[in-house]
Amino acid sequence: VHLISNHPSAPTWGDILYFDAYAFERQRLLQLGRIAETALHRVNESTISDLCDMSIATLKSLARSPPFLQALVAQLPTELSRRCLPEGTFDSLLVSSIVKAAIEAKCFHGCVESVTSFTPTCNSSTRYDFEQLYATDSNCHRLGFDQVEEIAELAMKKKCHSFPPPSVLWTPNDKEAGSLAMVTESPVCVPPREHDTRSAIQKEYGMQQGHCPEGTRCKCLIQSLWKRPTTADIRGNSGHIFVAAGSALAASFARQAAQGFLVSTFVVNMAIG
């Protein structure tokens, strides 16, 4: 499936997402009741409306994907493109920041405001009341329960932590291999060329052309021997601190079934058991 249906030369989802990411999103949409499929794994019913139905993790990846960003810019009217990119060149970091802000405004702005107004105290024994949220406010009804839990976790971190993530789609700018900082015309790290005659030390310490995050430096991945851990690998994924996984599931499914956001077969299975 092409990103832009009337532009067959545009990249497909397969050009932008790794297969594992696509498989994860497909399975997630099945579990959320947004699609149904036949025994041959062909989608025969869908309530998906737009990219807002994707997981927050996938949206973070899209907002940092050079092929996705280039496809979006290619479809902009010339006048709008000049306003977004006044230098007339593709600034991937600038476009990424614009796309993140646009996705957050379109998909999450109303829900973020609603969730923030319901945040409990920072006491570790306090649980977020999703039943009350869904019963009294409609801004989060369309989103998947996992997205609402992510937004609630962010709201609690903003309330209780000194240095919380600033927004839903924010990610640390590690400037790792393959990141936007490395695919610009002036990358932070430039690996030595194949026939570079400098010493190993000169080549290693000569890679840095820009500014690395504090405490890091450019270094070869030496993937032929082993995968050197990146900053993201070392940081790991700490998971949720305030909101338990699945805590919004029941309230979300009940509201979405009533409003027709779930495929019919999923609703029938819920009713059966």
Side-chain angles (χ1 to χ4, degrees):
V1 178
H2 290 277
L3 290 177
I4 311 297
S5 59
N6 59 341
H7 285 267
S9 62
T12 65
W13 288 116
D15 298 325
I16 291 172
L17 294 176
Y18 289 114
F19 177 78
D20 287 348
Y22 171 81
F24 161 77
E25 202 63 42
R26 176 71 174 258
Q27 185 62 29
R28 171 182 170 273
L29 291 171
L30 278 168
Q31 293 174 345
L32 288 178
R34 297 302 181 85
I35 61 174
E37 63 181 19
T38 67
L40 297 176
H41 303 294
R42 294 175 180 169
V43 174
N44 58 0
E45 189 179 358
S46 171
T47 62
I48 297 174
S49 58
D50 51 33
L51 58 74
C52 294
D53 290 318
M54 291 184 171
S55 68
I56 288 177
T58 297
L59 291 176
K60 287 180 178 181
S61 297
L62 288 179
R64 295 178 297 164
S65 166
F68 180 72
L69 299 177
Q70 290 164 356
L72 289 181
V73 170
Q75 309 311 316
L76 289 176
T78 303
E79 181 179 348
L80 182 57
S81 178
R82 287 174 180 168
R83 278 166 43 196
C84 292
L85 303 171
E87 301 299 323
T89 59
F90 182 78
D91 185 334
S92 56
L93 294 174
L94 173 60
V95 175
S96 177
S97 66
I98 294 172
V99 169
K100 283 182 183 178
I103 293 175
E104 288 176 344
K106 172 180 172 55
C107 302
F108 306 120
H109 176 70
C111 187
V112 168
E113 287 191 339
S114 300
V115 167
T116 301
S117 68
F118 279 91
T119 50
T121 64
C122 296
N123 189 312
S124 60
S125 63
T126 303
R127 294 292 179 261
Y128 198 95
D129 191 348
F130 288 104
E131 293 285 348
Q132 182 185 12
L133 172 69
Y134 280 95
T136 58
D137 195 291
S138 62
N139 283 325
C140 301
H141 288 181
R142 176 82 206 184
L143 298 176
F145 75 87
D146 56 338
Q147 295 171 306
V148 179
E149 290 172 359
E150 287 278 352
I151 293 171
E153 177 74 12
L154 173 63
M156 290 300 296
K157 286 179 178 178
K158 284 189 172 184
K159 185 172 185 176
C160 306
H161 287 182
S162 299
F163 302 101
S167 66
V168 176
L169 297 185
W170 178 84
T171 53
N173 184 14
D174 294 329
K175 301 182 179 180
E176 71 276 11
S179 68
L180 292 174
M182 287 293 292
V183 298
T184 62
E185 295 180 357
S186 302
V188 175
C189 302
V190 180
R193 299 183 181 277
E194 183 178 357
H195 300 293
D196 194 324
T197 58
R198 293 177 296 168
S199 68
I201 293 293
Q202 288 176 323
K203 285 190 286 188
E204 179 168 329
Y205 285 91
M207 286 192 292
Q208 184 169 331
Q209 303 296 313
H211 298 285
C212 290
E214 185 175 1
T216 68
R217 68 178 178 89
C218 300
K219 202 168 181 67
C220 291
L221 295 176
I222 53 175
Q223 291 177 318
S224 58
L225 300 178
W226 67 84
K227 184 181 184 297
R228 191 188 302 279
T230 64
T231 303
D233 293 332
I234 295 171
R235 182 188 305 112
N237 183 7
S238 59
H240 286 188
I241 299 172
F242 299 100
V243 179
S247 54
L249 186 151
S252 173
F253 278 169
R255 189 63 57 176
Q256 290 182 347
Q259 295 186 343
F261 294 152
L262 306 179
V263 295
S264 59
T265 52
F266 190 85
V267 174
V268 170
N269 289 336
M270 284 178 57
I272 293 174

